Structures are given as C-alpha cells and as structure tokens.
C-alpha cells in the first residue's frame, strides 16, 4: 500500500498541475479577449469609416430634400399670410376683420419643430378647419395654464379669420367661473348671441347649453342639409344672405360639473358637429375623475388630440408626434382687446341681413297671374338655401296675420314686402289694399304718390 507521504506528494503534484492549467487557461483567455477586443475595435473603426462615408454620400441629397421642405414651408406661410403668422408678427398691427365669404381652410395651433442630425426645421402647426374635427387638449393640473392659453389662441384666431358675426361662441368654464372666457366677453357688449350670454358653470346650465347645440345640429341636418348638401359650407354657398354662422363650443376643465348626460352630448357634438358647422375646443383635466361609464377614448376618436406627456405637449398624429409642438399663447391684452372689439362692432353692423327683393319677387311673366279665389299666397323672404317663406291667407283658419316686434326689428320692411309682392302677384281685380298709416302718412306715402292701382282708399291724417 502507498504510504501517506506518497499520497501527499501525488496530491501536491495534482494540485500544482491544476494551478498551472488554470494559469495557462487565464493566459489564453486574456490573449483571446485582447485579440477579440482588437478585432472589435477594428470592426467598429471600419463601420465608423463606412458610416461617415455613407453620411458624406447622403449629405447632398439630404440637403436638397431639406431645402425643398423648407421652400414648401415658406410657400405655405406666404400663401397663408397672417393666418399662419405668430401673434408677434408685424402683419397683425394692420389686421382688420375678415371679409364676407372668407372661410379659413385652417387655424394655427402653434409651431412644430423637427430636429435632425443636420437641421432644425420649424413650421406653423395648422389645424384643418372646414369639415375637420375639433380639438381636445389633455393636460393635468401642472400643464393646464399652457393648454388654456393654447385654446384661447385658437378661439381668437377663429374670430380673426371668419367674417364678423359668422362664428358664435359657447363657453363652459366651471372651475374658472368664466375667467378663462373673460377676454371674449367684450363681444356681449355688441351682441350677446356672439357668446350665448355668458360663460356657463353649473351642471344644469351646461347640460342645457349642450342640448341647445344638439337641437341646432338637428335642425341643420333635418331642415337644411338633408341629403342635398354634404356640409354647412355647401349649404351656405347657396343660402347667401341667410347663411348659418359657425358655432364653437369651448369647454375648460372637462369633466368638472359634467353629468353623464352632458358628457354623452359632448361626444355627440364632437362627432356630428363639424358637418353642421359646430366645433368643439375642449380642455380635459386628466387629474379629474370621469363621469360614471364615460370613456375618454370616445371623445379622442372625434377630435384632434394634443396631449401632455409629462415633459411637453404632443400632437397625437402619425405625421407630427415626433416633432416638438410649441403651443401659441394669445397676444398681449392690447391686441387681444382690439381684435375682439373690432369683431364685435363689425358683427353688430353685419347683423342686418339685406336680401335683394328680386330674390323673392315673382318673375315678370307671372305678374298679375295670381287667382285670389283660392286664397292669397305671397313670398316674404328666403327660408334656407332654396326655399321661400310664404304668407298664406284665405284657407281654413288662416284669415288674418299680425306682425309684432320692437322698434327697428323690420316690421315696416315686412309690410312693404307684403304689399309689393301682392301687387305684383295679383291684379287690382283680384286684390284690393286698404293702407292705414299712423305715421302721419309717411310710411305708405309712396303708394299714393305712384297711384298704386290696388289701393282703394287713402288715410287722412288724424286731427
């Protein structure tokens, strides 16, 4: 049997061999790592050279593409004029209210900035307007003020670019109690209909205003558009003087004070409103709880979404989501107030609708062709784009008519229209007119002066 000493010597020998093997393995490992690192560095250097060469080769085409893009941006800005200009642009100093018939194709939201490895390209962020969707700003409390200013800027641009009186604003401001709508309230000094009286804050009032807008949309669809017009713009083109104004619903701090019913109405307005000329600009506070059963995604699907991602606002659109979006703030108070007051004054002036008499008068070949034996029927004015409103007398219970209204409301104009159209439609043998004038003969004097054949008696001035 081997002695203990021999076993110890053999064990030591094996240990020494193992230590040497480990040392040899470590040596080869270090050499392999060193060689691999050298090869890695060589390959990285080679790839860097190839990468830089590829960049160098691509740079001319890249520069051409960026130059063309910049030219297109400049062309858009030039064609758009003040509509695409920031509020500090000099062109706003000479701004005047828009002319009748001018409908903006877009409204500026702010500025988009695209940053590449060799460029920084800026362009105005333009929201389509005609037939497009409304806007939904999603912002928690920390970003709320920026979103409020962005919404105010969009609303002011609509006022600045649409003809005065052709846009009516409805404000819902339950948290701000009207403070967010305050700059626009000067419009009420000229016509309360421009801002539906005031900014609404209480749940029952909010629900009623949304119900009013819904009813307006129902009337537009059922009475005006039907299956004849694709949208309100097509209808207004033919309606002319009686064109329907746009309605814009501005909601701050949704869903504060919104019931389940009003929240559903809001979605319906966002979905169906644009065809009827009704648009929604909504600021949703994402820190607040939604009404029971309400899904914000329903509203998002019907709107252009501008959302706060924790660091910046993002336009949630595949083409723009990677760009930096800088929302516009409204201009300084002096320009803001000047624009609002100018729009209000011009809207008050343009509220007088004048329809050419030729539009409702019978054609010359039909003069005196009416038969009063079956009643009287005379056109008083347009009713929509293609129809006329008539006064019908002599059938059933329609035997008399009463025209009532405050001073300046157009009662005399209505009577002159009635008299003239009756005299054109029916011969003196068919209709006799007895004109009683309590304005000392002034109102109906022209019929006496020109001897209207239908007038059988003239009123003598009372003592």
């Amino acid at each position: 049997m081997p002695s203990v000493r021999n076993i110890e010597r053999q064990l030591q020998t094996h240990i020494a061999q193992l230590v040497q093997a480990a040392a040899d393995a470590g040596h080869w490992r270090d050499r392999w790592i060193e060689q691999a690192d050298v090869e890695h560095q060589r390959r990285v250097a080679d790839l860097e050279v190839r990468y830089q060469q590829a960049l160098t080769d691509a740079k001319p085409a890249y520069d051409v593409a960026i130059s063309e893009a910049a030219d297109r941006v400049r062309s858009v800005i030039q064609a758009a004029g003040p509509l695409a200009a920031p509020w500090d642009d000099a062109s706003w100093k000479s701004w005047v209210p828009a002319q009748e018939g001018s409908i903006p194709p877009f409204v500026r939201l702010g500025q988009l900035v695209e940053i590449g490895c060799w460029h920084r390209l800026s362009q105005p962020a333009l929201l389509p307007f005609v037939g497009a969707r409304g806007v939904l700003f999603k912002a928690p409390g920390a970003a709320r003020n920026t979103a409020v200013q962005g919404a105010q800027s969009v609303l002011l641009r609509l006022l600045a670019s649409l003809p005065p009186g052709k846009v009516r604003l409805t404000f819902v401001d339950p948290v701000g109690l009207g403070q967010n709508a305050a700059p626009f309230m000067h419009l009420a000094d000229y016509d309360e209909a421009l801002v539906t009286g005031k900014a609404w804050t209480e749940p029952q009032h909010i629900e009623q205003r949304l119900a009013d807008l819904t009813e307006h949309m129902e009337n537009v669809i059922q009475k005006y558009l039907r299956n004849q017009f694709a949208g309100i713009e097509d209808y207004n083109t033919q309606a002319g003087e009686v064109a329907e104004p746009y309605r814009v619903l501005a909601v701050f701090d949704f869903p504060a004070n919104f019931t389940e019913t009003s929240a559903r109405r809001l979605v319906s307005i966002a979905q169906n409103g644009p065809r009827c000329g009704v648009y929604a600009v909504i600021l949703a506070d994402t820190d607040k709880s939604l009404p029971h059963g309400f899904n914000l995604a329903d509203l998002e699907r019907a709107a252009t979404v501008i959302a706060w991602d924790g660091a910046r606002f993002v336009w949630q659109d595949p083409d723009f989501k990677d760009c930096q979006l800088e929302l516009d703030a409204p201009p300084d108070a002096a320009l803001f107030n000047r624009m609002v007051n100018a729009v209000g004054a011009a809207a008050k002036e343009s509220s007088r609708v004048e329809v050419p008499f030729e539009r409702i008068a019978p054609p010359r070949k039909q003069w005196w062709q009416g038969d009063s034996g079956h009643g009287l029927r005379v056109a008083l004015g347009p009713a929509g784009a293609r129809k006329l409103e008539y006064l019908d007398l002599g059938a059933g219970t329609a035997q008399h008519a009463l025209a009532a209204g405050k001073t300046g409301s157009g009662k005399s104009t209505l009577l002159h229209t009635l008299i003239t159209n009756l005299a054109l439609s029916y011969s003196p043998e068919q209709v006799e007119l007895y004109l009683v004038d309590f304005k000392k003969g002034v109102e109906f004097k022209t019929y006496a002066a020109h001897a209207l054949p239908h007038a059988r008696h003239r009123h003598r001035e009372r003592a």
Side-chain angles (χ1 to χ4, degrees):
M1 291 181 62
S3 65
V4 173
R5 185 178 295 279
N6 288 336
I7 293 174
E8 289 179 348
R9 282 198 297 269
Q10 290 175 4
L11 182 59
Q12 291 174 355
T13 299
H14 289 315
I15 292 173
Q17 290 174 347
L18 288 173
V19 170
Q20 183 61 45
D24 292 343
H27 172 72
W28 286 107
R29 182 202 63 196
D30 293 342
R31 286 190 62 186
W32 183 84
I33 291 176
E34 182 179 352
Q35 290 175 357
D37 185 60
V38 170
E39 179 65 15
H40 174 72
Q41 294 297 330
R42 185 189 67 78
R43 291 186 180 183
V44 168
D46 180 60
L47 290 173
E48 180 65 26
V49 170
R50 292 164 61 185
Y51 173 72
Q52 292 299 331
Q53 185 60 49
L55 288 180
T56 301
D57 294 342
K59 185 68 161 57
Y62 182 94
D63 289 341
V64 170
I66 291 300
S67 177
E68 291 176 350
D71 288 341
R72 288 196 294 270
V73 170
R74 283 190 289 269
S75 297
V76 169
I77 295 174
Q78 184 176 4
L83 296 181
W87 289 118
D88 58 2
D89 189 85
S91 60
W92 290 106
K93 294 181 180 179
S94 56
W95 170 87
V96 293
Q99 297 297 313
E100 187 68 32
S102 61
I103 305 298
F106 54 79
V107 59
R108 176 179 164 121
L109 177 66
Q111 180 173 259
L112 284 170
V113 181
E114 182 183 20
I115 300 177
C117 57
W118 290 316
H119 75 278
R120 185 180 189 275
L121 186 63
S122 299
Q123 60 180 318
L126 305 178
L127 290 169
F129 175 66
V130 175
R133 300 184 294 178
V135 189
L136 171 64
F137 295 91
K138 292 173 57 181
R144 177 182 174 279
N145 288 339
T146 302
V148 166
Q149 291 184 338
Q152 289 175 333
S153 178
V154 168
L155 295 171
L156 182 61
R157 284 186 180 273
L158 286 174
L159 281 179
S161 53
L162 283 164
K166 295 305 181 184
V167 57
R168 297 179 181 178
L169 305 174
T170 298
F171 288 101
V172 174
D173 190 15
V175 175
L177 300 180
Q179 183 59 41
N180 296 314
F184 298 94
M185 287 299 112
H186 298 291
L187 294 170
D189 297 338
Y190 302 93
D191 184 353
E192 288 193 350
L194 296 175
V195 287
T196 57
K198 67 172 188 175
W200 305 94
T201 62
E202 294 300 319
Q204 66 273 23
H205 295 152
I206 294 172
E207 192 166 319
Q208 183 59 55
R209 297 290 79 76
L210 299 186
D212 292 342
L213 283 173
T214 302
E215 183 179 4
H216 168 74
M217 290 162 51
E218 292 172 354
N219 289 335
V220 169
I221 291 173
Q222 297 177 31
K223 293 178 60 177
Y224 301 153
L225 302 183
R226 296 181 177 177
N227 62 346
Q228 296 176 297
F229 301 99
I232 198 66
E233 288 77 23
D234 294 337
Y235 168 81
N236 282 344
T237 298
Q238 294 198 30
E241 302 85 358
V242 292
E244 278 293 319
Y246 290 93
R247 267 77 169 177
V248 177
L249 170 64
V251 178
F252 297 98
D253 296 302
F254 176 83
N257 283 4
F258 270 74
T259 64
E260 294 179 41
T261 300
S262 55
R264 288 195 298 271
R265 286 191 184 278
L266 182 62
V267 172
S268 177
I269 291 170
Q271 291 175 339
N272 304 303
R275 181 173 180 242
C276 306
V278 179
Y279 294 90
V281 178
I282 306 165
L283 192 159
D285 189 337
T286 53
D287 286 339
K288 290 184 171 65
S289 298
L290 295 170
H292 177 72
F294 182 81
N295 190 342
L296 191 59
D298 294 337
L299 199 54
E300 293 177 7
R301 282 191 288 269
T304 295
V305 180
I306 309 298
W308 180 255
D309 70 354
R312 62 187 181 92
F313 278 99
V314 177
W315 188 338
Q316 292 187 349
D317 182 279
D319 294 328
F320 307 126
K321 63 183 179 62
D322 295 327
C323 297
Q324 294 184 7
L325 174 62
E326 301 171 359
L327 294 178
D328 279 347
D332 60 74
L335 177 58
F336 201 130
N337 291 339
R338 180 173 76 83
M339 295 176 71
V340 170
N341 282 288
V343 168
K348 183 177 181 179
E349 182 65 26
S350 65
S351 63
R352 297 182 57 190
V353 178
E354 296 183 358
V355 179
F357 182 71
E358 292 77 11
R359 184 172 175 184
I360 62 170
R364 190 176 185 86
K365 63 181 180 180
Q366 294 181 11
W367 286 6
W368 287 17
Q369 298 302 306
D371 182 4
S372 62
H374 301 287
L376 297 177
R377 179 174 173 82
V378 59
L380 298 179
R386 297 177 177 175
K387 296 182 178 181
L388 296 178
E389 191 72 47
Y390 289 89
L391 173 66
D392 291 292
L393 295 176
T397 59
Q399 305 295 331
H400 309 282
L402 172 67
K406 64 182 181 180
T407 301
S409 61
K411 300 185 300 298
S412 295
T413 300
L414 173 62
L415 289 175
H416 286 300
T417 300
L418 173 63
I419 293 168
T420 305
N421 254 1
L422 276 172
L424 290 175
S425 300
Y426 299 93
S427 68
E429 288 72 28
Q430 294 287 327
V431 171
E432 293 183 354
L433 297 175
Y434 298 82
L435 306 180
V436 180
D437 190 348
F438 293 108
K439 292 186 177 181
K440 298 184 178 180
V442 174
E443 196 64 58
F444 295 149
K445 181 178 180 181
T446 184
Y447 303 112
H450 294 87
L452 179 67
H454 301 70
R456 290 294 180 262
H457 296 272
R458 289 187 299 168
H459 172 70
R460 292 183 179 181
E461 183 178 338
R462 293 184 300 172

